[in-house]
């Protein structure tokens, strides 16, 4: 019975992926499908940057009155703390799902997310998963309940659909891709130790206002992850990709400041992704191998087949095979179409 339910939900999610939804919209519809099999009071799912696991979109089952100041604490605990079942830990496990009740008691009693977020909301039980496909994570998600813990069967059910959720999220990353639009000046903000905005350029104010109209809270959510990551990194720097108000991919980079009155301050810049970065992300979303990505970057650089073979130390016949595979995955028939689809 449970396998039949899982298969039905996998089909529903696959159909949603084929409908051209973006990540947030896909996750909202998928949550509804999952809830038919595994009831829950609340859910929180996120798309993530597959390179850094920084959350780039958040979809709650319904409006969740979480205090804004919790965002940074959650990010710090998730990316740099000792929380039980962090998504980074789940990605590395053979089965990327976990119940909070299965974690060691000592970890549960000091959990920031359990004691400071879930309990005040009346939520006692958590089941979370990483949406992983071919060792790459495209999204993460948690389900919450008030009184009854999740059963072993429900844990198995969620584990049975994570790869489908990953594949669907990967497809959704490609949806709505458009050419980059430049801003009217540098987008730079200064943030305090708790992730609060303290100052910014005029271009940043305009850019943030546009984004807030389209996706309220998206910037703060990504910002918290970048700030927490920069705090934890030896280099004092962290970065994450996200989409702006126009659907363009941008990179947030946060860096700790080493001068000034407040050593906890951090500067965050927002810039369009480089061609290489954007192409790498989109090709990963199309399921291209690392070698196919290298070939594609050579195509974008204008290299001939002979030059590609020389640069990559492979034969021209192998270059042709990689190109053929790329054309199939991206759905094009020529090098020109490949470049146009990725960069237009």
């Amino acid at each position: 019975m449970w396998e039949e339910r899982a298969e039905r939900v996998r089909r529903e999610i696959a159909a949603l992926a084929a409908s051209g939804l973006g990540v947030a919209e896909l996750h909202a519809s998928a949550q509804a499908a999952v809830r038919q099999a595994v009831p829950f009071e609340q859910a929180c799912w996120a798309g993530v940057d597959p390179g850094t696991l920084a959350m780039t979109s958040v979809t709650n089952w319904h409006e969740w009155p979480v205090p804004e100041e919790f965002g940074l604490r959650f990010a710090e605990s998730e990316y740099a703390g000792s929380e039980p079942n962090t998504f980074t830990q789940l990605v590395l496990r053979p089965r990327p799902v976990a119940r909070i009740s299965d974690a060691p008691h000592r970890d549960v009693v000091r959990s920031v997310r359990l004691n400071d977020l879930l309990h005040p909301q009346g939520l006692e039980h958590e089941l979370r998963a990483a949406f992983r496909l071919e060792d790459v994570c495209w999204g993460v998600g948690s389900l919450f309940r008030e009184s009854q813990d999740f059963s072993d069967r429900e844990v198995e059910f969620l584990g049975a659909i994570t790869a489908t959720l990953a594949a669907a999220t990967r497809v959704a990353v490609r949806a709505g891709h458009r050419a980059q639009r430049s801003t009217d000046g540098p987008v730079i903000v200064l943030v305090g130790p708790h992730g609060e905005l303290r100052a910014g350029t005029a271009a940043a104010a305009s850019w943030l206002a546009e984004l807030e109209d389209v996706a309220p809270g998206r910037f703060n959510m990504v910002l918290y992850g970048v700030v927490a990551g920069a705090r934890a990194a030896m280099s004092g720097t962290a970065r994450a990709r996200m989409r702006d108000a126009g659907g363009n991919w941008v990179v947030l980079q946060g860096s700790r400041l080493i001068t000034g009155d407040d050593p906890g301050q951090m500067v965050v810049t927002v810039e369009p992704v480089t061609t290489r970065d954007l192409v790498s992300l989109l090709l990963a979303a199309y399921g291209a191998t690392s070698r196919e990505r290298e070939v594609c970057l050579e195509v974008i650089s204008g290299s001939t087949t002979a030059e590609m073979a020389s640069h990559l130390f492979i034969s021209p016949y192998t270059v042709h095979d990689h190109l053929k595979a790329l054309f199939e995955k991206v759905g094009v028939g020529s090098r020109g179409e490949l470049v146009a689809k990725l960069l237009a």
Side-chain angles (χ1 to χ4, degrees), residues 21 41 113 120 140 153 168 180 188 200 208 229 238 256 287 301 304 316 331:
L21 296 175
E41 276 75 48
R113 73 172 186 274
V140 295
R153 288 290 192 181
Q180 300 298 305
I188 304 172
L208 285 170
R256 295 198 304 262
S301 297
T304 65

Side-chain angles (χ1 to χ4, degrees), residues 10-27:
R10 284 194 293 262
R11 288 197 299 268
E12 289 185 41
I13 293 170
L16 290 169
S19 65
L21 296 175
V23 174
E25 295 79 13
L26 169 76
H27 284 177

Side-chain angles (χ1 to χ4, degrees), residues 116-135:
D116 293 2
L117 174 62
L118 301 183
H119 285 171
Q121 303 296 324
L123 301 171
E124 296 289 334
H125 305 285
E126 178 198 63
L127 173 61
R128 55 174 26 199
F131 307 157
R132 185 186 66 200
L133 181 69
E134 298 172 353
D135 296 325

Side-chain angles (χ1 to χ4, degrees), residues 11 55 94 96 117 142 145 169 175 205 214 218-219 232 275 292 295:
R11 288 197 299 268
M55 297 179 185
L117 174 62
S142 297
R145 281 182 180 163
T169 303
V214 173
R218 180 186 296 176
F219 177 75
T275 297
E292 288 165 358
V295 169

Side-chain angles (χ1 to χ4, degrees), residues 73-224:
R73 293 194 65 201
F74 170 80
E76 288 175 332
S77 64
E78 185 68 36
Y79 298 116
S82 56
E83 287 289 294
N85 304 329
T86 65
F87 292 122
T88 301
Q89 293 168 355
L90 291 184
V91 169
L92 299 176
R93 294 179 185 176
R95 186 177 70 167
V97 297
R99 279 181 298 214
I100 190 72
S101 57
D102 292 330
H105 178 70
R106 65 180 181 277
D107 294 337
V108 173
V109 296
R110 64 189 183 193
S111 168
V112 171
R113 73 172 186 274
L114 185 63
N115 296 307
D116 293 2
L117 174 62
L118 301 183
H119 285 171
Q121 303 296 324
L123 301 171
E124 296 289 334
H125 305 285
E126 178 198 63
L127 173 61
R128 55 174 26 199
F131 307 157
R132 185 186 66 200
L133 181 69
E134 298 172 353
D135 296 325
V136 178
C137 183
W138 292 94
V140 295
S142 297
L143 308 178
F144 307 104
R145 281 182 180 163
E146 294 175 356
S147 56
Q148 183 179 0
D149 200 0
F150 295 92
S151 69
D152 291 345
R153 288 290 192 181
E154 290 170 330
V155 175
E156 291 174 8
F157 170 88
L158 187 60
I161 66 170
T162 54
T164 303
L165 284 167
T169 303
R170 187 176 75 176
V171 170
V173 166
R174 307 184 322 233
H177 163 60
R178 61 194 72 181
Q180 300 298 305
R181 178 178 65 87
S182 61
T183 58
D184 298 325
V187 178
I188 304 172
V189 296
L190 187 69
V191 301
H194 301 293
E196 69 276 17
L197 295 177
R198 291 187 170 178
T201 60
S206 174
W207 185 86
L208 285 170
E210 290 181 8
L211 181 60
E212 194 65 18
D213 284 342
V214 173
R218 180 186 296 176
F219 177 75
N220 282 343
M221 178 267 301
V222 180
L223 176 66
Y224 293 145

